[in-house]
Amino acid sequence: MSLLANHIAVVSGAGSGIGRAIATGYAREGARVALFDINAAAAAETAEAIRSAGGTADSFALDVTSRDACFALAKEVTEKIGQVSILVNNAGIARRNAFTADTEAVAKDWHDIISLNLNGVFNMTQAYLAPLRATRGRIVNIGSIQSFLHLRTPSSAAYTASKHGVLGFTRALAAELGKEGVRVNAIGPGFIETPLNAQVRATNTTLVQTFVDHTPLGRTGRPEDIVGPAIFLASDLSAYVTGTIVMVDGGYGTV
Ligand code: NAP
């Protein structure tokens, strides 16, 4: 079954981790995928892997914090590939400086994290609004367990604020665009093993164990764990689902 046949999907941060897995999964379901990443080589490598497996993929360098670059690339993609019907706002960073840490470092974290995790979502969504409205498209935003919680394990207020913001944006946009048939949902990953947390996993096994101990399914997640829910939210399987967040956290939020 090709759940995403005839769709054109854009995935930001598609060169690594969760974005890479989602783009690969979407291509497997028949979507033509456009992979965006600030790391052009990583996006190109993922696109090549998708093509080698028989999918259709193009890659583009993009820094989603640049509104102008998002709009310029949206124009290029529409002209070269067609009207985007699925947008996955995935690119994001996490840092674990406490708010009481060095003032300048905390201010830089705030700027960088909000610019990417929240403003990047805004930039991309605005840039693709026209094709998404024309195609009665679907938006999938990547939130977090920190769309609801602030972790007692070290994290940053900026990251928590950004992911709460992603959920609020998801709900507000779903309400505004629903009448036009555009669906807007989010995914809330738990601790997923990706390069984003490679250093933590390598240097702080206690922290990782704290996560696992708190997780009913008793393990960390893998990027592939996000793929099924991401396909669900982009496909007609979720035709009557909008404004919600699907938690993919091994049950972390339930205990
Ligand atoms: P990842 O492996 O680090 O992948 C993120 C990708 O985004 C990287 O290729 C990165 O490039 C790229 N990127 C960074 N800045 C960018 C920019 N300004 N414009 C475009 N692309 C940019 O991270 P991940 O774990 O897959 O995370 C993906 C999303 O899931 C993020 O929104 C994250 O907050 C969320 N999430 C992750 C977890 C988790 O446990 N992993 C949990 C909850 C939520 P560089 O590598 O060159 O920086």
Side-chain angles (χ1 to χ4, degrees), residues 16 18 37-38 62-64 90 143 159 163 190 192 194 196-197:
S16 176
I18 292 170
D37 205 291
I38 200 166
L62 178 70
D63 178 352
V64 300
N90 165 76
Y159 187 79
K163 293 301 183 179
I192 310 295
T194 72
L196 179 120
N197 48 41

Side-chain angles (χ1 to χ4, degrees), residues 145-172:
I145 43 184
Q146 285 173 258
S147 292
F148 298 100
L149 314 165
H150 182 67
L151 300 178
R152 277 159 67 203
T153 47
S155 188
S156 72
Y159 187 79
T160 298
S162 76
K163 293 301 183 179
H164 272 60
V166 166
L167 179 56
F169 180 72
T170 299
R171 288 171 167 156

Side-chain angles (χ1 to χ4, degrees), residues 8-12 32-37 58-64 66-89 120-141 169 173 177 180 182-184:
I8 297 174
V10 158
V11 182
S12 71
R32 176 170 185 160
V33 289
L35 295 92
F36 296 178
D37 205 291
D58 298 278
S59 67
F60 302 86
L62 178 70
D63 178 352
V64 300
S66 166
R67 190 168 180 275
D68 288 349
C70 288
F71 273 81
L73 186 52
K75 188 167 178 294
E76 186 184 336
V77 165
T78 304
E79 284 167 6
K80 284 190 182 159
I81 300 178
Q83 287 200 311
V84 168
S85 52
I86 299 168
L87 170 63
V88 181
N89 286 310
V121 174
F122 170 80
N123 293 339
M124 287 290 286
T125 305
Q126 246 197 352
Y128 289 91
L129 192 58
L132 288 166
R133 289 172 83 182
T135 58
R136 299 174 73 82
R138 300 96 207 253
I139 301 172
V140 180
N141 296 321
F169 180 72
L173 212 62
L177 298 180
E180 299 186 44
V182 179
R183 297 189 293 103
V184 190

Side-chain angles (χ1 to χ4, degrees), residues 4 10 13 44 81 90 108 127 130 144 157 161 177 180-181 186 199-200 205 215 222 228 232 241 244:
L4 301 178
V10 158
I81 300 178
N90 165 76
K108 182 170 173 9
S144 167
L177 298 180
E180 299 186 44
Q199 203 195 347
V200 172
T205 49
T215 301
R222 294 179 285 269
F232 168 72
V241 179
T244 195

